Amino acid sequence: MTQVDSRRSGAVLRLYYGLGHLVHELLKFGVVGGLAFIVDIAVFNLLRIGFEMGPLTSKTIAVVVAGTVAYIGNRQWTFRHRARSQSQMHREYVLFLTLNGVGLAISLAFLVVSHYVLGFTSPLADNISANGLGLVCATTFRFWSYRKFVFPAMVDEAVELAEEEAEAVEGAPDDRRPTR
């Protein structure tokens, strides 16, 4: 292995270990989101079909219930290593609900266009627009905004994590180095 290859390999490993925490958060966020998604769809369909409520009311209630499930899961599992205090938890929850409201608006926008503008009024069409397209866009926004604004990493914590990961990369044996 040449010196250039060795540097590239080291850079790739540093990138991999540096992004490892992001990958773990994303996977946990996905699990919590999957559970919230099931709650969202179940409540939406229960209200929309079972109680024959309107699609916007059904979706709004479903998102509030699913959002509460998501907050608890993300606070207690996905982002539990992030900073928090009792005084911050109130701010955190309000901010979470506010950003969840933006996610709701994204989902509702898809539902409004599909149901009221395009005239696709069946429960299947409502599910595809609100729980398919709308949810994908809303979930992307939610992960980014929760991570950045609701559960931000403390600077000291981030520096410490980066230093530990850099030490792990530098201390790792290079089994790929050719012997002469």
Side-chain angles (χ1 to χ4, degrees), residues 38-60:
I38 291 167
V39 170
D40 188 333
I41 289 176
V43 172
F44 176 77
N45 283 297
L46 175 68
L47 297 175
R48 177 79 176 99
I49 299 167
F51 290 98
E52 297 179 358
M53 293 177 115
L56 299 181
T57 303
S58 298
K59 188 61 181 172
T60 301

Side-chain angles (χ1 to χ4, degrees), residues 41 49 54-55 60 72 85 97 129 148 172:
I41 289 176
I49 299 167
T60 301
I72 293 167
S85 70
L97 290 178
S129 62
K148 180 151 180 78

Side-chain angles (χ1 to χ4, degrees), residues 5-82:
D5 291 337
S6 178
R7 275 192 226 139
R8 282 186 190 147
S9 177
V12 169
L13 282 174
R14 278 191 295 280
L15 180 63
Y16 171 77
Y17 286 112
L19 293 177
H21 71 283
L22 176 64
V23 171
H24 288 122
E25 282 182 352
L26 188 57
L27 291 173
K28 289 178 179 180
F29 183 82
V31 170
V32 170
L35 177 61
F37 177 70
I38 291 167
V39 170
D40 188 333
I41 289 176
V43 172
F44 176 77
N45 283 297
L46 175 68
L47 297 175
R48 177 79 176 99
I49 299 167
F51 290 98
E52 297 179 358
M53 293 177 115
L56 299 181
T57 303
S58 298
K59 188 61 181 172
T60 301
I61 294 170
V63 167
V64 169
V65 173
T68 302
V69 169
Y71 175 77
I72 293 167
N74 283 313
R75 173 72 276 166
Q76 299 302 321
W77 189 44
T78 307
F79 299 111
R80 73 173 175 232
H81 62 285
R82 302 272 179 128

